[in-house]
């Protein structure tokens, strides 16, 4: 809260101590405010609506949402007995059964009790070594109590256990880190490297390469943004025979400058040169094989045509990097008064769009042909 104003110097903020969110003084203030709110409005967990919603979320009949990783379908399952979640997996054949036999990979609740931490699942970034190669390593993010800052630990999906740092496992201390595999023994990582290495928003400002078996602080600097950026990220995309390395400077919550280069699939070959991506900074960008996919947040004119916001477009990435106006664009989706694009997902050969048409779910499948 701002308690004073002056045109001669800085504004004094008497509540700045609340920024120390885990201090006893701040936690005491929160407890007092919660007690006052509950006294005035009642406990929402005791309402019929809350109980109904909770019963739906804990229902054994809900369809498990899965992600294919290597040979398995993975799911994070939460219910009244596992509020923090079970990370589990099964085969496609097993998943198609009425009652699949799930294999537990990690029990988050049990892990928290064992380690004396209030761990909350934060997702994984897998080691992708190509189609048909079994996923054996992931970088798992865990947060204390659901914090934005996360600890990143390498996990062996075969042994179903973490790889300790003393055994060569990657471990990133608590931070709003951005991390992914470059290869089995090297990471692309942004984290807190010390004074000046974070943006004003508290996210990484500098991207480095970190080799297995070396100290984190010895990771080699590769790219940095500006202190006023929201966050700076480096990541790898791979689909079919095409692999790209990306760097992104989020200049605001809804916009980012992106840079990309092609990188070889194996240990041989030379990476391409870095190029700035000449696309609208507010568009979301992904890939399908050698194609770039963009979803527009704002109307965009390219190649003499105007595409409306929420359109999903594709074109060969190489030609887009050379000259967007000369690229061969395909409109995979254009909105209408009744249709809306909810999401899309990549399979080995297809791109599946999930649409809402008059509030009814419709799926549309695009297939990439040899001719493009």
């Amino acid at each position: 809260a701002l308690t004073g104003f002056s045109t001669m110097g800085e504004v004094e903020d008497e509540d700045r101590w609340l920024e120390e969110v885990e201090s006893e003084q701040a936690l005491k203030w929160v407890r007092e405010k919660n007690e006052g709110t509950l006294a005035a409005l009642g406990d929402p967990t005791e309402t019929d609506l809350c109980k109904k919603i909770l019963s739906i979320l804990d229902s054994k009949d809900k369809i498990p949402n899965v992600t294919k990783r290597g040979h398995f379908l993975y799911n994070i399952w939460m219910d009244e007995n596992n509020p923090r979640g079970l990370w589990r997996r099964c085969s496609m054949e097993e998943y198609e059964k009425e009652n699949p036999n799930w294999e537990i990979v990690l029990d988050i609740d049990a892990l928290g009790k064992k380690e004396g931490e209030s761990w909350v699942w934060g997702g994984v970034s897998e080691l992708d070594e190509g189609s048909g190669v079994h996923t054996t390593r992931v970088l798992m993010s865990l947060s204390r109590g659901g914090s934005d800052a996360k600890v990143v630990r390498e996990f062996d999906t075969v042994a179903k256990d973490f790889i300790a740092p003393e055994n060569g496992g990657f471990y990133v201390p608590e931070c709003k880190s951005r991390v992914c595999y470059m290869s089995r023994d090297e990471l692309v990582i942004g984290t807190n490297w010390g004074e000046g290495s974070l943006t004003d928003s508290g996210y990484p400002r500098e991207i480095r390469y970190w080799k297995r078996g070396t100290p984190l602080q010895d990771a080699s600097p590769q790219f940095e943004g500006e202190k006023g950026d929201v966050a700076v990220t480096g990541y790898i995309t791979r689909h079919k025979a095409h692999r790209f390395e990306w760097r992104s400077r989020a200049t605001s919550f809804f916009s980012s400058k992106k840079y990309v280069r092609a990188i070889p699939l194996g240990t041989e070959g030379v990476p391409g040169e870095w190029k700035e991506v000449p696309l609208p900074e507010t568009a979301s960008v992904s890939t399908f094989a050698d194609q770039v996919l963009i979803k527009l947040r704002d109307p965009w004119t390219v190649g003499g045509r105007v595409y409306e916001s929420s359109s999903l477009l594709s074109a060969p990435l190489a030609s887009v990097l050379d000259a967007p106006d000369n690229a061969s664009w395909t409109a995979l989706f254009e909105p209408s008064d009744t249709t809306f694009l909810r999401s899309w997902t990549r399979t080995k050969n297809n791109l599946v769009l999930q649409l809402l048409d008059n509030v009814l779910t419709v799926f549309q499948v695009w297939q990439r042909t040899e001719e493009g």
Side-chain angles (χ1 to χ4, degrees), residues 15-229:
D15 294 326
R16 185 179 292 273
W17 54 272
L18 283 170
E19 295 183 8
E20 298 296 328
V21 295
E22 294 186 357
S23 70
E24 182 53 37
Q25 185 182 11
L27 293 175
K28 180 183 177 183
W29 181 89
V30 170
R31 286 193 294 269
E32 291 174 350
K33 295 300 180 183
N34 285 345
E35 290 168 1
T37 301
L38 290 173
L41 302 178
D43 186 350
T45 63
E46 297 301 320
T47 64
D48 291 340
L49 178 60
C50 181
K51 293 177 180 178
K52 181 179 180 180
I53 293 173
L54 187 60
S55 68
I56 294 172
L57 294 175
D58 287 341
S59 172
K60 305 295 185 185
D61 297 326
K62 61 187 177 185
I63 300 173
N65 185 27
V66 296
T67 300
K68 188 177 186 300
R69 303 186 188 282
H71 304 323
F72 292 105
L73 301 178
Y74 283 80
N75 163 255
I76 183 75
W77 179 267
M78 300 176 186
D79 57 26
E80 70 277 12
N81 297 320
N82 305 281
R84 295 301 170 89
L86 294 173
W87 194 40
R88 58 188 193 169
R89 67 190 177 194
C90 69
S91 65
M92 174 63 79
E93 181 183 16
E94 191 68 30
Y95 184 73
E96 292 175 342
K97 296 179 181 178
E98 184 175 351
N99 295 300
N101 181 23
W102 291 93
E103 175 189 2
I104 306 302
V105 181
L106 182 66
D107 183 331
I108 309 300
D109 295 273
L111 177 70
K113 291 178 182 178
K114 176 184 176 182
E115 299 185 346
E117 296 280 6
S118 180
W119 289 130
V120 174
W121 174 260
V124 298
S125 175
E126 70 179 278
L127 172 63
D128 183 358
E129 296 183 297
S131 177
V133 179
H134 183 51
T135 300
T136 60
R137 301 284 177 89
V138 298
L139 299 168
M140 183 179 296
S141 295
L142 298 167
S143 68
R144 292 182 170 94
S147 167
D148 286 346
K150 296 176 175 61
V151 174
V152 180
R153 302 161 65 175
E154 191 171 27
F155 188 88
D156 185 327
T157 61
V158 178
K160 296 189 287 188
D161 200 1
F162 293 102
I163 306 171
E166 56 267 27
N167 294 326
F170 288 114
Y171 177 89
V172 185
E174 188 173 49
C175 180
K176 298 175 184 177
S177 302
R178 298 292 187 268
V179 57
C180 74
Y181 284 101
M182 167 73 83
S183 66
R184 176 169 286 267
D185 295 317
E186 188 171 24
L187 304 185
V188 181
I189 177 172
T191 191
N192 186 354
W193 305 106
E195 184 177 355
S197 68
L198 300 179
T199 67
D200 291 337
S201 299
Y203 291 93
R205 189 174 69 85
E206 182 182 330
I207 300 302
R208 299 188 183 188
Y209 293 161
W210 181 24
K211 292 184 180 296
R212 188 184 300 280
T214 64
L216 178 59
Q217 286 299 326
D218 288 350
S220 60
Q222 299 295 321
F223 177 74
E224 68 178 51
E226 299 178 5
K227 203 169 186 306
D229 292 340

Side-chain angles (χ1 to χ4, degrees), residues 172-298:
V172 185
E174 188 173 49
C175 180
K176 298 175 184 177
S177 302
R178 298 292 187 268
V179 57
C180 74
Y181 284 101
M182 167 73 83
S183 66
R184 176 169 286 267
D185 295 317
E186 188 171 24
L187 304 185
V188 181
I189 177 172
T191 191
N192 186 354
W193 305 106
E195 184 177 355
S197 68
L198 300 179
T199 67
D200 291 337
S201 299
Y203 291 93
R205 189 174 69 85
E206 182 182 330
I207 300 302
R208 299 188 183 188
Y209 293 161
W210 181 24
K211 292 184 180 296
R212 188 184 300 280
T214 64
L216 178 59
Q217 286 299 326
D218 288 350
S220 60
Q222 299 295 321
F223 177 74
E224 68 178 51
E226 299 178 5
K227 203 169 186 306
D229 292 340
V230 175
V232 178
T233 309
Y235 57 98
I236 307 293
T237 61
R238 177 174 187 157
H239 188 237
K240 292 184 174 288
H242 301 276
R243 193 165 178 249
F244 300 98
E245 182 179 2
W246 300 79
R247 292 170 181 170
S248 173
R249 286 181 48 217
T251 52
S252 74
F253 192 77
F254 295 111
S255 60
S256 63
K257 296 180 181 292
K258 291 183 171 59
Y259 309 85
V260 66
R261 67 172 178 173
I263 53 178
L265 292 176
T267 57
E268 308 203 357
V270 179
E273 63 179 85
W274 284 103
K275 292 186 178 182
E276 184 170 355
V277 180
L279 294 173
E281 293 184 9
T282 57
S284 64
V285 179
S286 57
T287 60
F288 184 99
D290 63 338
Q291 303 283 296
V292 65
L293 306 176
I294 70 166
K295 184 185 179 187
L296 298 177
R297 183 177 179 84
D298 302 297

Side-chain angles (χ1 to χ4, degrees), residues 301-322:
T301 301
V302 66
R305 184 181 168 187
V306 178
Y307 294 97
E308 297 300 323
S309 60
S310 296
S311 296
L312 181 67
L313 312 177
S314 74
L317 177 57
S319 61
V320 171
L321 294 175
D322 288 339

